[in-house]
Amino acid sequence: MGDHAPHGREERAGVSGTVDTPDPAEIEAARVLFAQECRFVAASATIPQLPAETLPEVAFAGRSNVGKSSLVNALTGRKTLARTSNTPGRTQEVIFFDLGGRLMLVDLPGYGYAKVSKAKQAIWTETLFAYLRGRPTLQRVSLLVDGRHGLKDGDAVAMDLLDKAALSYQVVLTKVDKVKPAELTAMIEETGAALARRPAAHPVILATSSETGAGVAELRAELARFAR
Ligand code: GDP
């Protein structure tokens, strides 16, 4: 993984906490989990359409075009599991996948796409936030942030809500294959500093690339901790 290896706690800057980087056994167990059948369960556009709360859930959130679909596909080793779209902001549903009967992967609609009308954006934001607030099975949100650009306004809104809901979230930098090692280190430092004051933020920032696979095994291991 070279220079783009995910940064464990010992490498992160601007935050403090205990080191619990996944060990090789955890990495392997997570690989096996994510190689299980991943079954589409539901696509819900409104809260009443959400599927029953049968499994622990981990959700993926982020701005439109952050690379969320690509990362969900990379996690599960499938090319077409999550929607990948050339029209960011087009997909507005919350999509549920059952991973081996042990963990629900939840693909949340991307936020902050400028070309969508304000009224439409407001409706999704409401649906998205209603889901985030009112889902007892939801254990963790992976908050995807473009590794080239860092945190944006929309992310701050999402983090405010997650903090308020006391819902654990972890910032996962995407597309780090496009970022030079020194810039990535600076980005991790800067992002870590912004998270330090946020109570529900996980202290470790993962650096991932769906292109190269960097950080993907570590993200699997992090999420596998929530599987039953
Ligand atoms: P989403 O809207 O967040 O689901 O984003 P997508 O997964 O559809 O990706 C948006 C764009 O970013 C597409 O053109 C992808 O090919 C590109 N992309 C996604 N992940 C990566 C990555 O890890 N590295 C690079 N270089 N490009 C990526």
Side-chain angles (χ1 to χ4, degrees):
M1 300 205 185
D3 289 320
H4 289 141
H7 291 240
R9 284 160 175 77
E10 64 278 18
E11 284 185 75
R12 76 190 187 284
V15 282
S16 60
T18 50
V19 174
D20 67 345
T21 308
D23 61 29
E26 271 186 288
I27 294 272
E28 174 57 12
R31 188 191 65 76
V32 170
L33 172 64
F34 278 82
Q36 302 294 299
E37 188 195 357
C38 194
R39 188 175 58 83
F40 171 82
V41 174
S44 312
T46 64
I47 295 299
Q49 294 173 353
L50 294 177
E53 293 157 346
T54 51
L55 288 175
E57 289 178 10
V58 294
F60 302 89
R63 290 168 56 83
S64 283
N65 216 34
V66 71
K68 184 157 54 63
S69 310
S70 303
L71 189 60
V72 172
N73 288 335
L75 282 169
T76 55
R78 287 140 181 103
K79 286 215 160 61
T80 55
L81 182 65
R83 58 199 156 200
T84 37
S85 170
N86 293 324
T87 314
R90 203 190 55 185
T91 43
Q92 304 176 23
E93 293 163 318
V94 180
I95 306 191
F96 294 79
F97 299 99
D98 174 335
L99 183 62
R102 296 182 53 204
L103 187 65
M104 196 78 88
L105 306 181
V106 184
D107 184 7
L108 297 170
Y111 48 77
Y113 184 54
K115 287 190 185 156
V116 175
S117 75
K118 283 265 183 309
K120 240 182 179 174
Q121 278 195 41
I123 294 170
W124 302 353
T125 310
E126 206 176 290
T127 303
L128 180 59
F129 288 176
Y131 163 74
L132 292 175
R133 273 194 302 260
R135 192 82 176 163
T137 40
L138 182 57
Q139 306 288 308
R140 166 64 64 79
V141 175
S142 294
L143 185 70
L144 276 46
V145 172
D146 193 311
R148 298 167 298 183
H149 309 312
L151 292 167
K152 298 284 180 194
D153 288 352
D155 300 317
V157 173
M159 291 191 295
D160 285 347
L161 184 111
L162 292 163
D163 282 325
K164 222 182 260 177
L167 193 47
S168 167
Y169 59 96
Q170 179 174 39
V171 169
V172 176
L173 299 178
T174 60
K175 309 187 191 182
V176 300
D177 57 285
K178 294 278 196 198
V179 186
K180 294 198 180 83
E183 287 165 11
L184 181 58
T185 303
M187 177 60 75
I188 290 172
E189 267 176 39
E190 189 185 304
T191 309
L195 294 179
R197 294 179 304 276
R198 291 195 168 269
H202 192 282
V204 176
I205 295 162
L206 289 180
T208 67
S209 165
S210 305
E211 286 285 314
T212 65
V216 171
E218 288 74 9
L219 179 56
R220 281 191 201 116
E222 184 68 40
L223 299 178
R225 290 173 176 170
F226 301 102
R228 73 165 184 211

